[in-house]
Amino acid sequence: MVKLAVIGTGGMAHHQVESFSKIENCKVVAACDVDEKRVSDFAKKFGIDATYTDVDRLLAEVECDAVTIVVPDAYHHPLTLKAIEAGKHVLCEKPLALNAKDALEMSEAAKAAGVINMVNFSYRNSSAIQMASKLARSGELGTIRHVHAYYLQSWLAQDEWNFWETSPQWLWRLSTKAGSMGVLGDIGVHILDFAGMPVGDYRSVNCKLKTFDKGDGNKMGGYELDANDSAIITAEFANGAMGTIHTTRWAQPHLNSLKLNVYGDKASIEIDLDESYSTLKISRILGRKAMPWETLDCGTTPTNFERFIAAVESGVQDQADFARGADIQRVLDACFESDQKDKTVSL
């Protein structure tokens, strides 16, 4: 039985604990949050015995094998380092840190301590992207030439997920002073990982970020609303492929849409998670003739939560580790630099 503690009890923590509760050999034994009422309500909902408002006390007093870090981005780095120092295996929400330097420190600390370390790039739960990566590695796509990917949300434009002006879980994501890296760090990080899985490392990026006016003088609920809302990235990959990647919070009526096209000289693939997490479309080239799209059933793949618990039990690291998180953080840093300097930035 893997004993797990949850640090941070906001919305994503609810999803995580619901997922961990479905794993037979996992038990959530403690929860921690700076808000005493929130952690108390959370513990009652999920039947968790121990609650804390201080991470140091939790790590010192709770007998647990692992922790999951589910707090705002700015706290990933310090809390993860505390957990690693305490000898705990760590699952951390994305982005891994606020900059590549901190992300690399987390990766190196986890490696030195010999603990399992994973980043919750949640769309790796799709068997379609796992199959796409397998097809690319096997050479079935040939040489990849071009990539197009997007991740679109619309909660700034419509209220399906509640009105952002009165919802603290959304407001902090609009403020850099609250630790947010905007849409680029919130969901752009996902699509950068997603697009890179079958294609490989990034060589360079050229990025344009935009923050649109909101609220009264771009202030609301004590927050300065200065984090980016939209990002457009032109990327070159290490294998020479070119890509266009974009993300926004203004794409009504898309609630949470991810799509990826990868074009190779032997075959092309398309993944649309609005349609399916477990199928992809593939068009193969025979001679000089492109075949019609066919739908490929990709079966099932373990969730990140299942991978994490299995890795803790076996001691064998699984995807996506902190090193991957640090690599994607380097891309994010390069995107911010590109926007600030209005130039292409090499990685």
Side-chain angles (χ1 to χ4, degrees):
M1 180 66 67
V2 174
K3 295 179 181 178
L4 179 72
V6 181
I7 300 176
T9 58
M12 182 54 69
H14 287 251
H15 169 69
Q16 283 208 15
V17 172
E18 287 168 358
S19 299
F20 279 119
S21 68
K22 297 174 184 177
I23 304 173
E24 290 185 1
N25 51 329
C26 173
K27 180 177 175 60
V28 179
V29 296
C32 182
D33 197 294
V34 293
D35 187 319
E36 187 171 3
K37 183 179 185 305
R38 185 165 58 203
V39 70
S40 177
D41 291 345
F42 183 86
K44 289 177 183 176
K45 177 180 178 179
F46 293 108
I48 300 169
D49 294 332
T51 62
Y52 289 83
T53 57
D54 182 274
V55 170
D56 293 325
R57 279 193 60 207
L58 180 149
L59 293 173
E61 297 177 9
V62 174
E63 183 182 334
C64 64
D65 306 293
V67 300
T68 180
I69 307 289
V70 202
V71 296
D73 304 348
Y75 302 101
H76 291 179
H77 172 256
L79 295 184
T80 295
L81 291 182
K82 284 177 180 285
I84 291 171
E85 185 176 359
K88 310 302 182 184
H89 306 288
V90 184
L91 173 67
C92 184
E93 271 299 328
K94 54 73 212 165
L96 188 56
L98 293 184
N99 57 69
K101 176 178 176 293
D102 285 352
L104 182 60
E105 182 182 6
M106 294 162 72
S107 177
E108 290 178 342
K111 184 177 180 180
V115 297
I116 298 298
N117 55 97
M118 288 177 57
V119 187
N120 189 27
F121 288 129
S122 53
Y123 297 101
R124 290 183 175 233
N125 296 338
S126 162
S127 57
I129 193 62
Q130 299 291 344
M131 178 60 75
S133 300
K134 182 178 179 181
L135 291 171
R137 290 194 302 270
S138 71
E140 288 198 45
L141 306 185
T143 301
I144 296 172
R145 302 296 193 191
H146 190 80
V147 179
H148 175 236
Y150 67 61
Y151 189 162
L152 306 177
Q153 291 183 345
S154 60
W155 54 266
L156 283 174
Q158 52 81 36
D159 299 339
E160 187 70 21
W161 294 349
N162 298 320
F163 185 31
W164 65 266
E165 290 189 17
T166 58
S167 302
Q169 70 267 34
W170 301 129
L171 274 174
W172 81 265
R173 297 173 190 272
L174 303 176
S175 175
T176 60
K177 291 182 177 60
S180 174
M181 291 190 288
V183 73
L184 181 63
D186 188 18
I187 62 176
V189 65
H190 279 302
I191 199 64
L192 286 166
D193 177 63
F194 200 79
M197 281 184 67
V199 186
D201 292 336
Y202 291 84
R203 177 180 291 166
S204 67
V205 291
N206 191 297
C207 179
K208 180 66 176 177
L209 302 174
K210 182 83 175 205
T211 305
F212 295 92
D213 289 339
K214 297 177 290 297
D216 183 7
N218 291 308
K219 294 182 180 179
M220 183 69 62
Y223 292 99
E224 184 177 343
L225 310 181
D226 60 344
N228 59 84
D229 302 326
S230 294
I232 298 176
I233 303 164
T234 302
E236 183 180 9
F237 293 85
N239 65 0
M242 296 293 290
T244 57
I245 301 169
H246 60 101
T247 184
T248 185
R249 292 167 169 157
W250 290 101
Q252 182 274 336
H254 296 276
L255 291 181
N256 200 61
S257 299
L258 286 82
K259 189 171 183 179
L260 171 66
N261 290 88
V262 178
Y263 302 100
D265 61 5
K266 290 184 179 179
S268 299
I269 58 172
E270 178 175 285
I271 298 173
D272 186 342
L273 295 190
D274 274 352
E275 293 184 359
S276 173
Y277 271 55
S278 60
T279 62
L280 61 77
K281 294 178 181 178
I282 184 166
S283 171
R284 305 178 192 276
I285 298 174
L286 298 181
R288 293 286 297 172
K289 184 174 178 59
M291 296 292 100
W293 289 107
E294 59 180 290
T295 299
L296 182 63
D297 185 344
C298 304
T300 60
T301 194
T303 67
N304 288 344
F305 310 112
E306 291 168 334
R307 291 182 189 278
F308 180 65
I309 296 303
V312 170
E313 285 193 306
S314 68
V316 179
Q317 182 68 50
D318 204 344
Q319 60 171 289
D321 62 10
F322 281 7
R324 173 62 174 179
D327 285 343
I328 294 298
Q329 189 65 52
R330 289 180 61 236
V331 182
L332 291 176
D333 284 9
C335 285
F336 281 110
E337 182 182 352
S338 172
D339 177 68
Q340 291 165 0
K341 297 181 179 180
D342 192 21
K343 70 172 189 177
T344 298
V345 175
S346 297
L347 289 145

